[in-house]
Amino acid sequence: MEPRHSKIESEKPVHPLGPALRRTGRGALLTGALLTLGACAVPVGTERAPEQGISPEAMEQIAVLAAPYQDLSTVERRPGDGCYWYRHVGPVETTMLPLRTPEGNPICSGTSAGS
C-alpha cells in the first residue's frame, strides 16, 4: 500500500484587507496622476491679458491673412508675443490658439511688449 501524501498547495500570502487594498492603491495612484496632469494645464483666460480693442482696419488686414477655419470674432492680440490668438471651441475643450495663415504661419503685429 502506498503512503498517502496530502496535497500541499502553495498559497499566496493574503493581506487582511484582501483585494480591496489593491483596488484602493490603484485608485489613489490614478487620482494622483490625474491631479498632477491637471496642474500642468493653464485655464483659458488666465494667461496674460490681451490688448483690448483691435482697430477695424487691423481686423480687415487680419481677415485677409487668416486661414478660413478660424473664428475671427474672438481674436485678441497678446502683448507678450505681439501675435494674434483666437478662441477655438473643440469637442473636448475650449482653448486659445495662435491665429495662422493658410500656410500655417502665425499672424503677428511685428511689435511686442518685450521689444
Side-chain angles (χ1 to χ4, degrees), residues 6-105:
S6 62
K7 282 188 173 181
I8 301 176
E9 295 181 17
S10 62
E11 294 183 21
K12 294 179 182 177
V14 177
H15 193 279
L17 297 178
L21 179 65
R22 192 175 10 211
R23 283 192 299 265
T24 304
R26 287 181 187 161
L29 182 61
L30 179 61
T31 301
L34 289 174
L35 289 174
T36 301
L37 289 175
C40 296
V42 177
V44 172
T46 59
E47 296 173 2
R48 293 184 181 157
E51 288 183 4
Q52 298 300 320
I54 299 173
S55 72
E57 296 82 20
M59 281 306 297
E60 286 178 23
Q61 292 175 352
I62 290 169
V64 170
L65 293 172
Y69 57 86
Q70 301 166 118
D71 182 7
L72 298 181
S73 68
T74 61
V75 171
E76 306 174 343
R77 182 182 172 277
R78 293 206 178 157
D81 61 5
C83 294
Y84 294 95
W85 295 66
Y86 75 101
R87 186 177 309 273
H88 172 75
V89 180
V92 177
E93 65 182 0
T94 300
T95 187
M96 295 301 287
L97 295 176
L99 195 63
R100 297 193 178 270
T101 64
E103 294 79 28
N105 299 319

